[in-house]
Amino acid sequence: MTDTLPETQSASQKPRLWRWALAAVLTAAGAVLLSLPGPVAKYTGYDALNAHAMGLVDEAYERDQATFLVITAIKTSLAVIEGSEVGVGFQLEIGDVVQPAYDYVDFFWRMFLYAFLILGTYKILIETGMLALGFGVMGLGLVLLAVALAAEPRGAGLWRWGRRTLLGGALFAYAVPLALVATNELSVRYTSGIKAKHLESIKALRTRMDASTREFIALKDQINILQPGTSLENIKNGMLGLAGSIGRTFQESLKAFLYFMLVIAFEVVFFPFLSAWVLYKFGQFALGRVVSAAVERPVLA
C-alpha cells in the first residue's frame, strides 16, 4: 500500500508538470511577440512576404492605371461631344443621344476609382507596418493560453479567449499579405486572359472615339456664313448621324466594359475576401485541432 501511493502521486503530477512547462513556453513566446515584433517579423519571413505583397499591389496599380487612363480619354471625348453647342436647341438633341453612353462610361470610371481606393487601403496597411500589431495580439493570446493552462481546470473561459485572440492576431497580421499573394495566383490562372481580351476591345473603342471626336470638331467648322441655314442643317444631320453611330458603338462595347469591371471586382474584392475566409477557416482548424490536441493528450494521459 505504501509503495503504490507514491507511484499514484507521481503519475498525477505528470500532467500538472506538463501544463506548467507548456505554460512557461507559451508565456515566453508571447513575451517575445509582445516585446520584439520587429525581429520576429524579420526572421520569420513576414517582412519578405509583405514586400512581395506590396510589389503585387504596385503591379496591379500600374496595370489598372493604364486602363483607367484609356477610359478617362473615352469619357473626355464623350464630354466634348455631349457638351457641344451648334445653334439654338441643337445641343439638347446631341446630348440626348450621347448622354446614355457618357453615363455608363462615367459609372465604370467611378468603379475604377473605388478599386484604386481599395488597393490603396491594402498598400497603406502593408507600407505603414500597421499589420505588425497582429504580433502583439498573438502574444497576448499566447499569454492567455498560458494562464488558462496554469489555472486548469478553472481556465476554460481563458482558454477560449486565448484561442480567439491568437487567431484574431494571426489573421490581422497575415490575412492581407497572404490574401494578396493568393489573389495574384488566382488572377493569373483564371482571369488574366479574359481581362486582356476585353481590354483590347476597350482600347479599340478609344481609337474609334478619338476619330469620332475629330470628325465632330471638323463638322462644327463647316458652317458657311453665306448660307447659314443650309450649312447648319447639314451639320446637324451629320452630327446626329455621328452621335447615333457612337451610341451603337457603345452598345457593342458594353459587354467588354461589364466583363472587365467584373474581373476588377473579382481581383480587388472577391478573391481577397475568399482567400481571407479560407485562411480564417484553416487557422480555426489548426487552433481547434492541433493546438488543443497538443495540450489535451498530456493532460488526459
Side-chain angles (χ1 to χ4, degrees):
M1 191 74 177
T2 57
D3 293 337
T4 307
L5 183 58
E7 294 178 0
T8 304
Q9 291 176 343
S10 176
S12 64
Q13 287 177 353
K14 288 182 179 180
R16 182 180 301 176
L17 292 174
W18 171 260
R19 286 199 305 270
W20 279 96
L22 186 56
V25 172
L26 292 176
T27 301
V32 171
L33 287 172
L34 283 166
S35 60
L36 300 171
V40 170
K42 178 180 178 181
Y43 292 111
T44 58
Y46 179 76
D47 287 345
L49 173 65
N50 272 352
H52 180 56
M54 191 154 55
L56 295 177
V57 172
D58 290 336
E59 290 177 7
Y61 253 122
E62 292 179 4
R63 290 195 306 267
D64 294 342
Q65 185 180 19
T67 308
F68 179 73
L69 292 176
V70 172
I71 295 179
T72 300
I74 294 173
K75 180 182 176 182
T76 302
S77 298
L78 283 172
V80 169
I81 298 174
E82 193 270 339
S84 296
E85 295 184 19
V86 179
V88 179
F90 181 64
Q91 179 199 3
L92 295 177
E93 294 181 51
I94 288 294
D96 290 341
V97 176
V98 180
Q99 188 67 42
Y102 178 85
D103 287 341
Y104 92 70
V105 170
D106 182 64
F107 170 77
F108 291 122
W109 185 82
R110 292 176 183 273
M111 289 291 291
F112 256 100
L113 288 182
Y114 298 143
F116 286 146
L117 181 63
I118 295 173
L119 285 174
T121 302
Y122 294 151
K123 185 171 182 177
I124 288 174
L125 288 173
I126 295 174
E127 197 168 17
T128 58
M130 192 181 302
L131 297 178
L133 293 174
F135 286 117
V137 179
M138 292 171 63
L140 180 60
L142 291 176
V143 172
L144 289 176
L145 291 177
V147 174
L149 283 174
E152 187 72 23
R154 298 185 300 275
L158 281 175
W159 179 257
R160 286 193 298 270
W161 278 106
R163 286 175 53 185
R164 292 171 184 172
T165 304
L166 180 59
L167 178 59
L171 288 175
F172 189 84
Y174 286 95
V176 171
L178 286 177
L180 289 174
V181 172
T183 295
N184 180 71
E185 295 299 323
L186 291 171
S187 300
V188 170
R189 184 176 180 86
Y190 295 107
T191 62
S192 60
I194 299 174
K195 191 175 178 181
K197 180 178 69 174
H198 293 296
L199 177 58
E200 291 302 318
S201 299
I202 294 174
K203 288 181 177 179
L205 174 61
R206 179 191 176 180
T207 302
R208 292 196 296 270
M209 280 304 306
D210 289 342
S212 297
T213 303
R214 290 192 296 268
E215 184 179 350
F216 190 89
I217 294 173
L219 281 171
K220 289 182 62 177
D221 295 335
Q222 293 178 8
I223 295 179
N224 189 342
I225 59 175
L226 298 178
Q227 296 178 323
T230 302
S231 61
L232 185 61
E233 185 66 24
N234 292 335
I235 293 171
K236 177 180 177 180
N237 293 333
M239 288 189 172
L240 287 175
L242 182 60
S245 175
I246 292 172
R248 291 189 296 272
T249 299
F250 271 90
Q251 288 179 357
E252 296 171 359
S253 64
L254 178 60
K255 180 180 178 182
F257 274 93
L258 287 174
Y259 271 89
F260 193 88
M261 288 313 304
L262 284 174
V263 171
I264 293 293
F266 265 71
E267 292 180 349
V268 175
V269 179
F270 180 74
F271 283 162
F273 278 91
L274 175 63
S275 302
W277 181 80
V278 171
L279 289 172
Y280 167 74
K281 286 298 182 181
F282 176 78
Q284 198 176 41
F285 171 81
L287 288 176
R289 297 295 179 87
V290 179
V291 176
S292 296
V295 175
E296 290 171 3
R297 287 196 189 105
V299 172
L300 297 175

